[in-house]
Amino acid sequence: MAIADRKPSLLGLPDERHDHQRVAVNVLGRYMLEDRREFPCQVVDMSPGGMAVIAPVNGHDGERVIAYVDQFGRLEGTIVRVFGNGFAISFAATARKRDKLTARLARFAKRDTVDAAAERRDD
């Protein structure tokens, strides 16, 4: 596929292939960079392998990050891509932690689907 054929993502970047399926989320959290500075963030998509966040301060490629994300808890990883208004993190997690995150993401996605169906239902 040519780069021009790729559709832009929510963050204005071309869609890319990932190891895990991404789930669109809209949850708040906080993250800490290697220099121990802490900032609020908004997670816009997540998979068992990583997440993309909108953030006021970007780290740099390869920098370690610890994030505390509402409904998902503590997540550790490395910045793998920086863009204008945030960055993407690849998680450093055990297989068990990834399995737990997969289950939480599935429940999160199912809940959003159920909530959307309930909103469309006529009274």
Side-chain angles (χ1 to χ4, degrees):
M1 173 189 317
I3 292 177
D5 294 337
R6 293 181 183 170
K7 295 178 185 175
S9 71
L10 175 67
L11 300 172
L13 299 172
D15 287 334
E16 297 177 5
R17 292 189 179 153
H18 299 280
D19 292 337
H20 304 279
Q21 181 178 351
R22 297 274 174 161
V23 175
V25 297
N26 184 13
V27 292
L28 299 177
R30 297 189 64 75
Y31 66 97
M32 183 173 62
L33 298 172
E34 284 181 353
D35 62 7
R36 298 191 182 262
R37 292 182 300 157
E38 194 172 316
F39 304 96
C41 65
Q42 178 182 353
V43 180
V44 293
D45 73 32
M46 185 181 291
S47 77
M51 66 183 176
V53 299
I54 296 172
V57 175
N58 289 344
H60 53 81
D61 283 341
E63 184 171 8
R64 290 186 58 224
V65 178
I66 298 173
Y68 297 91
V69 180
D70 294 351
Q71 302 176 41
F72 294 95
R74 180 184 168 149
L75 301 166
E76 295 182 50
T78 304
I79 296 175
V80 293
R81 188 174 64 254
V82 176
F83 41 88
N85 58 347
F87 52 91
I89 301 169
S90 177
F91 296 139
T94 63
R96 182 167 187 243
K97 178 87 173 178
R98 286 185 198 272
D99 289 345
K100 289 171 77 174
L101 186 54
T102 300
R104 282 188 188 146
L105 282 168
R107 284 193 305 271
F108 190 88
K110 184 177 179 181
R111 186 193 73 209
D112 281 352
T113 303
V114 170
D115 289 347
E119 288 175 9
R120 287 192 302 264
R121 206 175 297 141
D122 289 336
D123 290 335

